[in-house]
Amino acid sequence: MKALLLSGGSGTRLRPITHTSAKQLVPVANKPVLFYGLEAIAEAGITQVGIIVGDTAEEIREAVGDGSAWGLDVTYIPQAAPLGLAHAVLIAREFLGDEDFVMYLGDNFVVGGITDLVAAFRSERPEAQILLTKVPDPTAFGVAELDTAGQVIGLEEKPRHPKSELALVGVYLFSPAIHEAVRSIQPSWRGELEITHALQWLIDGGRDVRSTIISGYWKDTGNVTDMLEVNRSVLETLERRIDGTVDDDSEIIGRVRIDPGAKVTGSRIVGPVIVGANTVITDSYVGPFTSIAGDCRIDDSEIEYSIVLRDSSVSGVRRVEASLIGRNVEVTPAPRKPAAHRFVLGDHSKVQISS
């Protein structure tokens, strides 16, 4: 069995971060989202991985290399434009051959991995297996309709009026039958070859398309809110480890990981928090669910429930929360403007002025 890992999207919902970085390489708990997918594939016993790359191909190649860090053999497959998930399958035909494969969206995050799903697919071998989960707003996803027996009878891509609240999770398992399906469909109104159309083609042809509703944690990390939520989820599993330097005037509470070379002085850190290598935190408060990458500086500031990327600094800022701060960013207070209050107050007045 092979794997097809999609890393070609432009990440418009994560701009401006993705103007200068691939969305799949934005870190969660100081590790790129893409790496969690690679780990899940390796843990499932798959070694042959094709990575679909687009405009950020060079950055993806530099980060992943030949895949040997995960025990994988990686082949890069260029996609000229993001023309749909089914198009990715179409251009990967030579790499995939006639083997079963798992298609994994590189910006998706599935807690618990895919090992059991892959094992079940290998054993039962339907033509296709999709993962579903209930979401509050199905209009942003591919949506599945099931009959009373739980069989998939219909699929729609980002419907205006969803027939269910079951969204397709970004992990699919396919037999070689999918190749005929992707060759048989036409582009949607979006100009893309939709994988939901290919799956519907299989269903209409009487093929065995099965679904699994997952109750575990899944997120599409396509926007800042979801990135922060995934970061929170991963940090919940963090183990306390102090490899850096913490002075006697600092207080470290709960599950906090401080990597080698990091230095904490006169500060309070309340976990779960991860502090990257060579980061310096001085006279500050770092609150729960915060990931600070390597070579950062936090000075005389407060920050929590945030992600800070490499080589950035936050200095003299009273409070930062629910934020995604990119690489080489400087956050400082704005100069205070002279302010004056002018009054004409009658007798017995009471006035409150915020300073």
Side-chain angles (χ1 to χ4, degrees), residues 97-115:
D98 292 323
E99 295 190 43
D100 296 344
F101 67 98
V102 56
M103 183 167 71
Y104 197 115
L105 274 58
D107 58 354
N108 274 227
F109 189 89
V110 181
V111 170
I114 60 173
T115 301

Side-chain angles (χ1 to χ4, degrees), residues 17 303 306-309 312 314 320 323-327 329 331:
I17 298 292
I303 184 169
S306 295
I307 299 173
V308 183
L309 276 59
S312 291
V314 180
V320 175
S323 298
L324 174 57
I325 297 173
R327 296 174 296 184
V329 170
V331 181

Side-chain angles (χ1 to χ4, degrees), residues 299-303 313-320 331-334:
D299 178 47
D300 189 27
S301 298
E302 300 179 6
I303 184 169
S313 64
V314 180
S315 180
V317 179
R318 181 177 179 184
R319 190 73 170 178
V320 175
V331 181
T332 57

